[in-house]
Every structure is written in structure tokens, then in C-alpha cells.
Amino acid sequence: MDKILSRVSSAAGALAVGAFTVNSCIYNVDGGERAVMFDTLRGGILPDVRDEGTHFMIPVVQRPIIIDVRTKPREIPSVTGTKDLQMVNIKLRVLWRPVIEKLPQLYRELGTDFDERVLPSIGSEVLKSVVAQYNAEELLSKRAEVSNRIKSELIKRGAHFHLTLDDVAITHLTFGREFMKAIESKQVASQEAERQQYVVQRAEQERIANVTRAEGEAEAATIITKAMEKTGNAIVEVRRIDAAKEIATKLARGRNITYLPGGGTNSDGGNGGNPGLLLNIDK
């Protein structure tokens, strides 16, 4: 019985040692990650990159370094000056990932926190160099152009450090308080200038209308004068008859207008000295 127990314990010990040895000789690389191998016998970081999956290694001699290669966002803030010496607060959103083939060199030169060492410095440098080429107003009116220039320059700088930038966008752009007040004052002045221009145009149109009206009245007076020279007072009588017809038409349409004939008749059968009256009676 003792012999059986000793054999079982020996076998269990051997299995434990074997399991520990096997577990020490393998490592896993999860999805979205890559591994580089540090080998003490072969001079440090090996040039090849391990893909996703389970891999073997030599315990103590080799040590895998797992690196995340998925695309990650990062925000880069910067306060810089424009071409006309206005201070602007600008922020970039960068989607970046490392170049997989260059992971051994990237780890050898910068370590695993390469994004902390590279992106803030090159982002601030590119922002300052590009923004300094535009006026404050141009940053607003040419925002797409500025964003494209920043993107192209940042991609070039990132490639030097083996980083791929999938997208670069301006997410925040504000100016100093003095500049904002100047913009508001300029807008108010522009609106006032437009209003004054409208007033001037309106006055000009009214002047032209008055001149045209005066010319028409003068021409009408000239025509009437020439007609009176030819026909005497006949034109005046015609105008008087037309005016009387117009007045009679208006009075006939009025509901409250009442005609009161004058008193008495003369020997000829006509009305006496008192003419008839037109009364406006409120009903």
C-alpha cells in the first residue's frame, strides 16, 4: 500500500512539474494584440512579430512583450498664436495605431508607452506651425483647409515614428476674449452699415419718385395751359362737370345723404332764393 501511495505521489509530482513546465513554455496573444520577443541569449528584441494565438518560448531565456495594435483615439490640446498674433485654443482628435511590422523597432526605441512620448509633441508642433500661417478669421472661414493641412503634416510626422494616423479632425477651436469682442463689434458695425446703405437707397428711390412725379405734374400743367389757350375756359368747365359727376356719384351711394329742397318758387316755376340742402343724417 505504501508503495502504491509513493508511486501515485511521484506521478502527481511529475505531472505538476510537467504542467508547470508546459505552462512556462507557452503564452497567448489575444485578438487586437501582437507580441515581440525579448531573448537574452540572442541580443535583446528579436526582429519578428508574433501574431494572435498560442506560441512557445524558452523560460527564463525569452520573455514576450504584448502590445495593443488596435486603433485608439487621442485628444491633443494646444494653445498657439495665429498670423495676426491672436491666441487660439485648439484641440485635435487623432485615431492612431502602430505599424505592426515596426513593433520591434518601436519598442526598442520608445517602449510600450510610445503614444505618450510621440503624439503630444508632434501634435503640438504641427498645430503651431500650421496655425501660424493663417489669420484668426481664416481659421474660421478655411477650417476644412486648415484641418487637411494639419492631417497631412501629422501623418508625415507620425510615419517617422512608425505610427499610422487613420483620422485627424479639429474638435475645438476658440479665441481669446478680446478677439471675440472684436468679432461682435465688427458684426454690429457691418449690420449698421448695411442698414444705413438701405436707408440711402430708399431715400434715393424716393427722390427719383418725387422728381418723376414733379415732372409729370409739370407736363400735365403745360398740356392744360396749351389746351386753355386754344379753347378758352371750356377745359375748365369740362373739369368742373367731371368733378360734379364724381361728387354726385359718391353722394348717391351714401346711405345717410338726404336732399332737402329749398322753400318757395318764383314766377317762372323754379325754386326761390333758398337752394336745396344735402344733409348727412346718422341713422
Side-chain angles (χ1 to χ4, degrees):
M1 187 66 182
D2 293 336
K3 291 181 179 180
I4 296 176
L5 292 176
S6 63
R7 290 179 181 177
V8 171
S9 61
S10 299
L15 288 175
V17 172
F20 176 77
T21 302
V22 172
N23 187 55
S24 300
C25 293
I26 62 174
Y27 65 95
N28 294 322
V29 179
D30 296 332
E33 296 178 343
R34 296 294 186 274
V36 296
M37 185 64 69
F38 179 82
D39 194 319
T40 56
L41 297 181
R42 296 166 62 181
I45 300 296
L46 300 182
D48 55 338
V49 179
R50 269 69 171 181
D51 294 330
E52 302 168 357
T54 302
H55 304 274
F56 291 95
M57 68 175 179
I58 302 174
V60 180
V61 176
Q62 294 180 332
R63 177 172 57 88
I65 296 99
I66 307 299
I67 300 175
D68 190 353
V69 296
R70 287 169 289 195
T71 300
K72 293 185 288 293
R74 184 178 181 89
E75 189 175 69
I76 304 175
S78 179
V79 178
T80 182
T82 62
K83 188 176 181 181
D84 53 353
L85 304 181
Q86 296 291 337
M87 298 306 297
V88 57
N89 186 3
I90 186 171
K91 289 183 181 180
L92 287 181
R93 182 187 58 83
V94 179
L95 295 179
W96 68 276
R97 54 186 171 86
V99 179
I100 295 178
E101 295 77 10
K102 299 294 183 179
L103 283 179
Q105 182 179 353
L106 189 60
Y107 176 77
R108 186 183 300 112
E109 295 175 354
L110 299 173
T112 56
D113 58 342
F114 41 82
D115 59 319
E116 293 289 344
R117 301 189 181 196
V118 174
L119 290 178
S121 59
I122 65 174
S124 179
E125 176 188 354
V126 170
L127 281 175
K128 292 181 184 297
S129 63
V130 174
V131 171
Q133 302 177 24
Y134 292 89
N135 295 329
E137 294 183 1
E138 291 177 339
L139 291 179
L140 298 175
S141 60
K142 300 180 180 179
R143 181 163 178 166
E145 177 183 339
V146 175
S147 180
N148 289 333
R149 289 196 59 181
I150 292 175
K151 180 178 180 179
S152 61
E153 293 295 329
L154 204 54
I155 288 176
K156 293 179 182 178
R157 296 286 292 142
H160 179 72
F161 294 97
H162 314 302
L163 298 179
T164 299
L165 304 182
D166 295 326
D167 184 60
V168 178
I170 299 175
T171 59
H172 183 73
L173 182 63
T174 57
F175 297 92
R177 184 177 301 175
E178 293 78 8
F179 180 76
M180 297 304 296
K181 289 183 178 179
I183 290 293
E184 292 177 359
S185 300
K186 184 176 180 180
Q187 290 178 348
V188 171
S190 177
Q191 293 175 357
E192 182 64 21
E194 292 179 357
R195 191 181 71 83
Q196 293 297 332
Q197 184 178 4
Y198 169 76
V199 171
V200 171
Q201 292 178 352
R202 180 179 178 181
E204 180 67 17
Q205 294 297 327
E206 291 179 352
R207 184 189 66 82
I208 295 174
N210 292 332
V211 171
T212 304
R213 189 181 301 109
E215 291 177 351
E217 293 176 353
E219 184 177 356
T222 302
I223 294 173
I224 292 173
T225 301
K226 292 181 179 179
M228 290 182 65
E229 291 177 353
K230 293 180 179 180
T231 61
N233 294 331
I235 186 64
V236 177
E237 294 297 330
V238 171
R239 288 293 182 88
R240 186 179 298 172
I241 293 171
D242 292 338
K245 287 182 178 180
E246 183 178 356
I247 294 173
T249 302
K250 292 181 178 180
L251 292 176
R253 293 176 180 176
R255 295 182 179 181
N256 300 334
I257 303 299
T258 302
Y259 175 71
L260 184 63
T265 56
N266 55 20
S267 58
D268 297 331
N271 291 332
N274 296 327
L277 298 177
L278 290 175
L279 299 179
N280 187 3
I281 301 174
D282 294 333
K283 294 183 181 180

